[in-house]
PDB file of all heavy atoms in Angstrom:
ATOM      1  N   VAL A   1       0.850  -1.241   0.046  1.00 92.00           N
ATOM      2  CA  VAL A   1       0.032  -0.028   0.038  1.00 92.00           C
ATOM      3  C   VAL A   1       0.882   1.191  -0.004  1.00 92.00           C
ATOM      4  O   VAL A   1       0.532   2.272  -0.673  1.00 92.00           O
ATOM      5  CB  VAL A   1      -0.986  -0.038   1.192  1.00 92.00           C
ATOM      6  CG1 VAL A   1      -1.700   1.296   1.308  1.00 92.00           C
ATOM      7  CG2 VAL A   1      -1.936  -1.121   1.149  1.00 92.00           C
ATOM      8  N   VAL A   2       1.965   1.149   0.726  1.00 93.00           N
ATOM      9  CA  VAL A   2       2.818   2.386   0.752  1.00 93.00           C
ATOM     10  C   VAL A   2       3.481   2.637  -0.475  1.00 93.00           C
ATOM     11  O   VAL A   2       3.514   3.794  -0.987  1.00 93.00           O
ATOM     12  CB  VAL A   2       3.973   2.144   1.829  1.00 93.00           C
ATOM     13  CG1 VAL A   2       4.974   3.231   1.808  1.00 93.00           C
ATOM     14  CG2 VAL A   2       3.322   2.103   3.248  1.00 93.00           C
ATOM     15  N   LEU A   3       3.866   1.636  -1.240  1.00 91.00           N
ATOM     16  CA  LEU A   3       4.509   1.691  -2.517  1.00 91.00           C
ATOM     17  C   LEU A   3       3.643   1.819  -3.794  1.00 91.00           C
ATOM     18  O   LEU A   3       4.023   2.010  -4.958  1.00 91.00           O
ATOM     19  CB  LEU A   3       5.524   0.667  -2.723  1.00 91.00           C
ATOM     20  CG  LEU A   3       6.602   0.508  -1.592  1.00 91.00           C
ATOM     21  CD1 LEU A   3       7.565  -0.609  -1.912  1.00 91.00           C
ATOM     22  CD2 LEU A   3       7.438   1.836  -1.421  1.00 91.00           C
ATOM     23  N   SER A   4       2.310   1.583  -3.521  1.00 88.00           N
ATOM     24  CA  SER A   4       1.414   1.539  -4.705  1.00 88.00           C
ATOM     25  C   SER A   4       1.254   2.829  -5.304  1.00 88.00           C
ATOM     26  O   SER A   4       0.820   3.920  -4.675  1.00 88.00           O
ATOM     27  CB  SER A   4       0.055   1.101  -4.101  1.00 88.00           C
ATOM     28  OG  SER A   4      -0.948   1.225  -5.239  1.00 88.00           O
ATOM     29  N   PRO A   5       1.591   3.002  -6.707  1.00 88.00           N
ATOM     30  CA  PRO A   5       1.312   4.297  -7.399  1.00 88.00           C
ATOM     31  C   PRO A   5      -0.186   4.636  -7.557  1.00 88.00           C
ATOM     32  O   PRO A   5      -0.424   5.849  -7.526  1.00 88.00           O
ATOM     33  CB  PRO A   5       1.838   3.914  -8.824  1.00 88.00           C
ATOM     34  CG  PRO A   5       2.788   2.676  -8.604  1.00 88.00           C
ATOM     35  CD  PRO A   5       2.199   1.914  -7.504  1.00 88.00           C
ATOM     36  N   ALA A   6      -1.008   3.647  -7.514  1.00 86.00           N
ATOM     37  CA  ALA A   6      -2.450   3.935  -7.580  1.00 86.00           C
ATOM     38  C   ALA A   6      -2.912   4.662  -6.304  1.00 86.00           C
ATOM     39  O   ALA A   6      -3.630   5.704  -6.368  1.00 86.00           O
ATOM     40  CB  ALA A   6      -3.273   2.716  -7.701  1.00 86.00           C
ATOM     41  N   TYR A   7      -2.485   4.121  -5.164  1.00 85.00           N
ATOM     42  CA  TYR A   7      -2.928   4.843  -3.862  1.00 85.00           C
ATOM     43  C   TYR A   7      -2.197   6.157  -3.772  1.00 85.00           C
ATOM     44  O   TYR A   7      -2.798   7.166  -3.120  1.00 85.00           O
ATOM     45  CB  TYR A   7      -2.601   3.948  -2.718  1.00 85.00           C
ATOM     46  CG  TYR A   7      -3.679   2.812  -2.556  1.00 85.00           C
ATOM     47  CD1 TYR A   7      -3.174   1.423  -2.606  1.00 85.00           C
ATOM     48  CD2 TYR A   7      -4.918   3.026  -2.346  1.00 85.00           C
ATOM     49  CE1 TYR A   7      -4.017   0.375  -2.317  1.00 85.00           C
ATOM     50  CE2 TYR A   7      -5.844   2.030  -2.186  1.00 85.00           C
ATOM     51  CZ  TYR A   7      -5.399   0.647  -2.279  1.00 85.00           C
ATOM     52  OH  TYR A   7      -6.325  -0.317  -2.093  1.00 85.00           O
ATOM     53  N   GLN A   8      -1.079   6.265  -4.318  1.00 84.00           N
ATOM     54  CA  GLN A   8      -0.270   7.566  -4.343  1.00 84.00           C
ATOM     55  C   GLN A   8      -1.102   8.593  -5.095  1.00 84.00           C
ATOM     56  O   GLN A   8      -1.250   9.615  -4.713  1.00 84.00           O
ATOM     57  CB  GLN A   8       1.194   7.378  -4.810  1.00 84.00           C
ATOM     58  CG  GLN A   8       1.841   8.684  -5.144  1.00 84.00           C
ATOM     59  CD  GLN A   8       2.305   9.306  -3.695  1.00 84.00           C
ATOM     60  OE1 GLN A   8       2.237   8.619  -2.710  1.00 84.00           O
ATOM     61  NE2 GLN A   8       2.668  10.572  -3.795  1.00 84.00           N
ATOM     62  N   TRP A   9      -1.534   8.157  -6.284  1.00 85.00           N
ATOM     63  CA  TRP A   9      -2.214   9.150  -7.160  1.00 85.00           C
ATOM     64  C   TRP A   9      -3.656   9.481  -6.646  1.00 85.00           C
ATOM     65  O   TRP A   9      -3.934  10.683  -6.538  1.00 85.00           O
ATOM     66  CB  TRP A   9      -2.321   8.509  -8.577  1.00 85.00           C
ATOM     67  CG  TRP A   9      -3.063   9.365  -9.479  1.00 85.00           C
ATOM     68  CD1 TRP A   9      -4.334   9.375  -9.869  1.00 85.00           C
ATOM     69  CD2 TRP A   9      -2.399  10.352 -10.337  1.00 85.00           C
ATOM     70  NE1 TRP A   9      -4.664  10.311 -10.847  1.00 85.00           N
ATOM     71  CE2 TRP A   9      -3.512  10.980 -11.172  1.00 85.00           C
ATOM     72  CE3 TRP A   9      -1.157  10.906 -10.493  1.00 85.00           C
ATOM     73  CZ2 TRP A   9      -3.233  11.995 -12.054  1.00 85.00           C
ATOM     74  CZ3 TRP A   9      -0.951  11.958 -11.360  1.00 85.00           C
ATOM     75  CH2 TRP A   9      -2.018  12.531 -12.094  1.00 85.00           C
ATOM     76  N   TYR A  10      -4.411   8.560  -6.385  1.00 85.00           N
ATOM     77  CA  TYR A  10      -5.726   8.737  -5.856  1.00 85.00           C
ATOM     78  C   TYR A  10      -5.790   9.429  -4.452  1.00 85.00           C
ATOM     79  O   TYR A  10      -6.841   9.956  -4.099  1.00 85.00           O
ATOM     80  CB  TYR A  10      -6.615   7.593  -5.986  1.00 85.00           C
ATOM     81  CG  TYR A  10      -6.795   7.107  -7.409  1.00 85.00           C
ATOM     82  CD1 TYR A  10      -6.339   5.997  -7.976  1.00 85.00           C
ATOM     83  CD2 TYR A  10      -7.731   7.848  -8.283  1.00 85.00           C
ATOM     84  CE1 TYR A  10      -6.520   5.657  -9.231  1.00 85.00           C
ATOM     85  CE2 TYR A  10      -7.962   7.526  -9.538  1.00 85.00           C
ATOM     86  CZ  TYR A  10      -7.367   6.475 -10.085  1.00 85.00           C
ATOM     87  OH  TYR A  10      -7.681   6.107 -11.361  1.00 85.00           O
ATOM     88  N   GLY A  11      -4.697   9.135  -3.757  1.00 86.00           N
ATOM     89  CA  GLY A  11      -4.739   9.796  -2.403  1.00 86.00           C
ATOM     90  C   GLY A  11      -4.622  11.404  -2.583  1.00 86.00           C
ATOM     91  O   GLY A  11      -4.994  12.113  -1.496  1.00 86.00           O
ATOM     92  N   TRP A  12      -4.067  11.871  -3.697  1.00 86.00           N
ATOM     93  CA  TRP A  12      -4.069  13.314  -3.805  1.00 86.00           C
ATOM     94  C   TRP A  12      -5.363  13.879  -4.149  1.00 86.00           C
ATOM     95  O   TRP A  12      -5.683  15.130  -4.035  1.00 86.00           O
ATOM     96  CB  TRP A  12      -3.031  13.669  -4.844  1.00 86.00           C
ATOM     97  CG  TRP A  12      -1.689  13.605  -4.489  1.00 86.00           C
ATOM     98  CD1 TRP A  12      -1.134  13.890  -3.221  1.00 86.00           C
ATOM     99  CD2 TRP A  12      -0.416  13.312  -5.241  1.00 86.00           C
ATOM    100  NE1 TRP A  12       0.176  13.782  -3.247  1.00 86.00           N
ATOM    101  CE2 TRP A  12       0.645  13.384  -4.473  1.00 86.00           C
ATOM    102  CE3 TRP A  12      -0.365  12.919  -6.579  1.00 86.00           C
ATOM    103  CZ2 TRP A  12       1.912  13.133  -4.911  1.00 86.00           C
ATOM    104  CZ3 TRP A  12       0.881  12.703  -7.085  1.00 86.00           C
ATOM    105  CH2 TRP A  12       2.118  12.733  -6.180  1.00 86.00           C
ATOM    106  N   GLU A  13      -6.340  13.167  -4.793  1.00 88.00           N
ATOM    107  CA  GLU A  13      -7.572  13.663  -5.349  1.00 88.00           C
ATOM    108  C   GLU A  13      -8.488  13.983  -4.333  1.00 88.00           C
ATOM    109  O   GLU A  13      -8.725  13.305  -3.325  1.00 88.00           O
ATOM    110  CB  GLU A  13      -8.133  12.766  -6.409  1.00 88.00           C
ATOM    111  CG  GLU A  13      -7.138  12.572  -7.614  1.00 88.00           C
ATOM    112  CD  GLU A  13      -7.856  12.088  -8.834  1.00 88.00           C
ATOM    113  OE1 GLU A  13      -9.068  11.790  -8.709  1.00 88.00           O
ATOM    114  OE2 GLU A  13      -7.236  11.954  -9.850  1.00 88.00           O
ATOM    115  N   VAL A  14      -9.307  15.060  -4.609  1.00 90.00           N
ATOM    116  CA  VAL A  14     -10.364  15.515  -3.747  1.00 90.00           C
ATOM    117  C   VAL A  14     -11.608  14.738  -4.117  1.00 90.00           C
ATOM    118  O   VAL A  14     -12.588  15.320  -4.569  1.00 90.00           O
ATOM    119  CB  VAL A  14     -10.645  17.038  -3.797  1.00 90.00           C
ATOM    120  CG1 VAL A  14     -11.645  17.476  -2.766  1.00 90.00           C
ATOM    121  CG2 VAL A  14      -9.343  17.807  -3.665  1.00 90.00           C
ATOM    122  N   ARG A  15     -11.547  13.415  -3.963  1.00 92.00           N
ATOM    123  CA  ARG A  15     -12.650  12.564  -4.331  1.00 92.00           C
ATOM    124  C   ARG A  15     -12.690  11.457  -3.201  1.00 92.00           C
ATOM    125  O   ARG A  15     -11.843  11.437  -2.263  1.00 92.00           O
ATOM    126  CB  ARG A  15     -12.464  11.907  -5.594  1.00 92.00           C
ATOM    127  CG  ARG A  15     -12.409  12.901  -6.899  1.00 92.00           C
ATOM    128  CD  ARG A  15     -13.747  13.516  -6.982  1.00 92.00           C
ATOM    129  NE  ARG A  15     -14.730  12.604  -7.645  1.00 92.00           N
ATOM    130  CZ  ARG A  15     -15.967  12.955  -7.774  1.00 92.00           C
ATOM    131  NH1 ARG A  15     -16.550  14.091  -7.329  1.00 92.00           N
ATOM    132  NH2 ARG A  15     -16.856  12.057  -8.311  1.00 92.00           N
ATOM    133  N   MET A  16     -13.538  10.524  -3.295  1.00 92.00           N
ATOM    134  CA  MET A  16     -13.780   9.471  -2.381  1.00 92.00           C
ATOM    135  C   MET A  16     -12.831   8.301  -2.475  1.00 92.00           C
ATOM    136  O   MET A  16     -13.083   7.283  -1.804  1.00 92.00           O
ATOM    137  CB  MET A  16     -15.230   9.106  -2.242  1.00 92.00           C
ATOM    138  CG  MET A  16     -15.730   8.361  -3.514  1.00 92.00           C
ATOM    139  SD  MET A  16     -15.852   9.291  -5.053  1.00 92.00           S
ATOM    140  CE  MET A  16     -16.931  10.534  -4.592  1.00 92.00           C
ATOM    141  N   TYR A  17     -11.924   8.241  -3.375  1.00 92.00           N
ATOM    142  CA  TYR A  17     -11.110   7.173  -3.807  1.00 92.00           C
ATOM    143  C   TYR A  17     -10.328   6.525  -2.726  1.00 92.00           C
ATOM    144  O   TYR A  17      -9.967   5.361  -2.659  1.00 92.00           O
ATOM    145  CB  TYR A  17     -10.337   7.396  -5.019  1.00 92.00           C
ATOM    146  CG  TYR A  17     -11.109   7.963  -6.160  1.00 92.00           C
ATOM    147  CD1 TYR A  17     -10.645   9.070  -6.837  1.00 92.00           C
ATOM    148  CD2 TYR A  17     -12.355   7.361  -6.524  1.00 92.00           C
ATOM    149  CE1 TYR A  17     -11.382   9.620  -7.944  1.00 92.00           C
ATOM    150  CE2 TYR A  17     -13.072   7.971  -7.630  1.00 92.00           C
ATOM    151  CZ  TYR A  17     -12.575   9.053  -8.304  1.00 92.00           C
ATOM    152  OH  TYR A  17     -13.274   9.539  -9.389  1.00 92.00           O
ATOM    153  N   SER A  18      -9.885   7.392  -1.789  1.00 91.00           N
ATOM    154  CA  SER A  18      -9.081   6.830  -0.601  1.00 91.00           C
ATOM    155  C   SER A  18      -9.889   6.589   0.554  1.00 91.00           C
ATOM    156  O   SER A  18      -9.556   5.704   1.349  1.00 91.00           O
ATOM    157  CB  SER A  18      -7.881   7.818  -0.232  1.00 91.00           C
ATOM    158  OG  SER A  18      -8.489   9.113   0.067  1.00 91.00           O
ATOM    159  N   LEU A  19     -10.974   7.219   0.691  1.00 93.00           N
ATOM    160  CA  LEU A  19     -11.980   6.995   1.875  1.00 93.00           C
ATOM    161  C   LEU A  19     -12.613   5.613   1.744  1.00 93.00           C
ATOM    162  O   LEU A  19     -12.832   4.878   2.560  1.00 93.00           O
ATOM    163  CB  LEU A  19     -13.036   8.061   2.013  1.00 93.00           C
ATOM    164  CG  LEU A  19     -14.057   7.768   3.051  1.00 93.00           C
ATOM    165  CD1 LEU A  19     -13.431   7.792   4.411  1.00 93.00           C
ATOM    166  CD2 LEU A  19     -15.110   8.866   2.959  1.00 93.00           C
ATOM    167  N   THR A  20     -13.025   5.303   0.515  1.00 92.00           N
ATOM    168  CA  THR A  20     -13.668   3.989   0.200  1.00 92.00           C
ATOM    169  C   THR A  20     -12.887   2.776   0.644  1.00 92.00           C
ATOM    170  O   THR A  20     -13.464   1.971   1.350  1.00 92.00           O
ATOM    171  CB  THR A  20     -14.079   3.950  -1.291  1.00 92.00           C
ATOM    172  OG1 THR A  20     -14.897   5.033  -1.587  1.00 92.00           O
ATOM    173  CG2 THR A  20     -14.903   2.622  -1.622  1.00 92.00           C
ATOM    174  N   PRO A  21     -11.694   2.501   0.202  1.00 92.00           N
ATOM    175  CA  PRO A  21     -10.986   1.304   0.607  1.00 92.00           C
ATOM    176  C   PRO A  21     -10.692   1.360   2.205  1.00 92.00           C
ATOM    177  O   PRO A  21     -10.761   0.332   2.769  1.00 92.00           O
ATOM    178  CB  PRO A  21      -9.670   1.344  -0.135  1.00 92.00           C
ATOM    179  CG  PRO A  21      -9.526   2.804  -0.539  1.00 92.00           C
ATOM    180  CD  PRO A  21     -10.846   3.278  -0.756  1.00 92.00           C
ATOM    181  N   LEU A  22     -10.546   2.512   2.851  1.00 93.00           N
ATOM    182  CA  LEU A  22     -10.299   2.590   4.228  1.00 93.00           C
ATOM    183  C   LEU A  22     -11.565   2.117   4.930  1.00 93.00           C
ATOM    184  O   LEU A  22     -11.484   1.273   5.849  1.00 93.00           O
ATOM    185  CB  LEU A  22     -10.010   4.046   4.639  1.00 93.00           C
ATOM    186  CG  LEU A  22      -9.828   4.237   6.079  1.00 93.00           C
ATOM    187  CD1 LEU A  22      -8.615   3.493   6.654  1.00 93.00           C
ATOM    188  CD2 LEU A  22      -9.662   5.718   6.381  1.00 93.00           C
ATOM    189  N   LEU A  23     -12.812   2.559   4.542  1.00 93.00           N
ATOM    190  CA  LEU A  23     -13.989   2.156   5.111  1.00 93.00           C
ATOM    191  C   LEU A  23     -14.326   0.678   4.882  1.00 93.00           C
ATOM    192  O   LEU A  23     -14.829  -0.004   5.787  1.00 93.00           O
ATOM    193  CB  LEU A  23     -15.182   3.031   4.765  1.00 93.00           C
ATOM    194  CG  LEU A  23     -15.123   4.434   5.199  1.00 93.00           C
ATOM    195  CD1 LEU A  23     -16.319   5.261   4.609  1.00 93.00           C
ATOM    196  CD2 LEU A  23     -15.066   4.520   6.732  1.00 93.00           C
ATOM    197  N   ALA A  24     -13.871   0.266   3.684  1.00 92.00           N
ATOM    198  CA  ALA A  24     -14.121  -1.162   3.275  1.00 92.00           C
ATOM    199  C   ALA A  24     -13.325  -2.141   4.166  1.00 92.00           C
ATOM    200  O   ALA A  24     -13.847  -3.036   4.729  1.00 92.00           O
ATOM    201  CB  ALA A  24     -13.873  -1.385   1.817  1.00 92.00           C
ATOM    202  N   GLY A  25     -12.036  -1.751   4.443  1.00 89.00           N
ATOM    203  CA  GLY A  25     -11.194  -2.526   5.307  1.00 89.00           C
ATOM    204  C   GLY A  25     -11.674  -2.512   6.736  1.00 89.00           C
ATOM    205  O   GLY A  25     -11.645  -3.577   7.466  1.00 89.00           O
ATOM    206  N   PHE A  26     -12.092  -1.264   7.174  1.00 90.00           N
ATOM    207  CA  PHE A  26     -12.558  -1.204   8.536  1.00 90.00           C
ATOM    208  C   PHE A  26     -13.788  -1.981   8.842  1.00 90.00           C
ATOM    209  O   PHE A  26     -13.928  -2.829   9.813  1.00 90.00           O
ATOM    210  CB  PHE A  26     -12.686   0.267   8.961  1.00 90.00           C
ATOM    211  CG  PHE A  26     -13.212   0.529  10.262  1.00 90.00           C
ATOM    212  CD1 PHE A  26     -12.361   0.230  11.325  1.00 90.00           C
ATOM    213  CD2 PHE A  26     -14.496   1.002  10.619  1.00 90.00           C
ATOM    214  CE1 PHE A  26     -12.725   0.427  12.721  1.00 90.00           C
ATOM    215  CE2 PHE A  26     -14.834   1.159  11.871  1.00 90.00           C
ATOM    216  CZ  PHE A  26     -14.029   0.935  13.004  1.00 90.00           C
ATOM    217  N   THR A  27     -14.816  -1.974   7.951  1.00 91.00           N
ATOM    218  CA  THR A  27     -16.071  -2.626   8.137  1.00 91.00           C
ATOM    219  C   THR A  27     -15.885  -4.163   8.021  1.00 91.00           C
ATOM    220  O   THR A  27     -16.570  -4.921   8.679  1.00 91.00           O
ATOM    221  CB  THR A  27     -17.097  -2.097   7.169  1.00 91.00           C
ATOM    222  OG1 THR A  27     -16.582  -2.124   5.816  1.00 91.00           O
ATOM    223  CG2 THR A  27     -17.523  -0.676   7.461  1.00 91.00           C
ATOM    224  N   THR A  28     -14.974  -4.552   7.063  1.00 88.00           N
ATOM    225  CA  THR A  28     -14.668  -6.045   6.899  1.00 88.00           C
ATOM    226  C   THR A  28     -14.055  -6.470   8.171  1.00 88.00           C
ATOM    227  O   THR A  28     -14.373  -7.591   8.633  1.00 88.00           O
ATOM    228  CB  THR A  28     -13.823  -6.258   5.748  1.00 88.00           C
ATOM    229  OG1 THR A  28     -14.346  -5.722   4.509  1.00 88.00           O
ATOM    230  CG2 THR A  28     -13.575  -7.735   5.439  1.00 88.00           C
ATOM    231  N   TYR A  29     -13.104  -5.749   8.666  1.00 87.00           N
ATOM    232  CA  TYR A  29     -12.588  -6.135  10.042  1.00 87.00           C
ATOM    233  C   TYR A  29     -13.546  -6.371  11.032  1.00 87.00           C
ATOM    234  O   TYR A  29     -13.535  -7.325  11.848  1.00 87.00           O
ATOM    235  CB  TYR A  29     -11.479  -5.202  10.375  1.00 87.00           C
ATOM    236  CG  TYR A  29     -10.733  -5.436  11.654  1.00 87.00           C
ATOM    237  CD1 TYR A  29      -9.846  -6.481  11.809  1.00 87.00           C
ATOM    238  CD2 TYR A  29     -11.109  -4.727  12.830  1.00 87.00           C
ATOM    239  CE1 TYR A  29      -9.231  -6.706  13.069  1.00 87.00           C
ATOM    240  CE2 TYR A  29     -10.496  -5.043  14.063  1.00 87.00           C
ATOM    241  CZ  TYR A  29      -9.534  -5.998  14.179  1.00 87.00           C
ATOM    242  OH  TYR A  29      -8.980  -6.255  15.377  1.00 87.00           O
ATOM    243  N   LEU A  30     -14.430  -5.438  11.248  1.00 88.00           N
ATOM    244  CA  LEU A  30     -15.466  -5.448  12.238  1.00 88.00           C
ATOM    245  C   LEU A  30     -16.386  -6.617  12.023  1.00 88.00           C
ATOM    246  O   LEU A  30     -16.774  -7.329  12.973  1.00 88.00           O
ATOM    247  CB  LEU A  30     -16.341  -4.232  12.369  1.00 88.00           C
ATOM    248  CG  LEU A  30     -15.534  -2.938  12.765  1.00 88.00           C
ATOM    249  CD1 LEU A  30     -16.549  -1.775  12.732  1.00 88.00           C
ATOM    250  CD2 LEU A  30     -14.980  -3.026  14.129  1.00 88.00           C
ATOM    251  N   LEU A  31     -16.660  -6.902  10.736  1.00 87.00           N
ATOM    252  CA  LEU A  31     -17.574  -8.137  10.388  1.00 87.00           C
ATOM    253  C   LEU A  31     -16.901  -9.409  10.772  1.00 87.00           C
ATOM    254  O   LEU A  31     -17.563 -10.255  11.429  1.00 87.00           O
ATOM    255  CB  LEU A  31     -17.956  -8.044   8.966  1.00 87.00           C
ATOM    256  CG  LEU A  31     -18.764  -9.210   8.432  1.00 87.00           C
ATOM    257  CD1 LEU A  31     -20.157  -9.260   9.119  1.00 87.00           C
ATOM    258  CD2 LEU A  31     -18.940  -9.189   6.909  1.00 87.00           C
TER     259      LEU A  31
END
């Protein structure tokens, strides 16, 4: 995740692209 160019690119954008996987991982963990 640290080295991923995709997460690097979309982490800059003012869009929901970095919030979505964070919430997906968190909710999956709780489940």
Side-chain angles (χ1 to χ4, degrees):
V1 172
V2 173
L3 302 178
S4 171
Y7 285 120
Q8 172 70 16
W9 180 267
Y10 289 109
W12 279 330
E13 295 204 355
V14 189
R15 298 293 286 173
M16 69 291 299
Y17 306 133
S18 58
L19 176 64
T20 300
L22 178 64
L23 293 180
F26 181 66
T27 53
T28 303
Y29 176 77
L30 293 180
L31 178 62

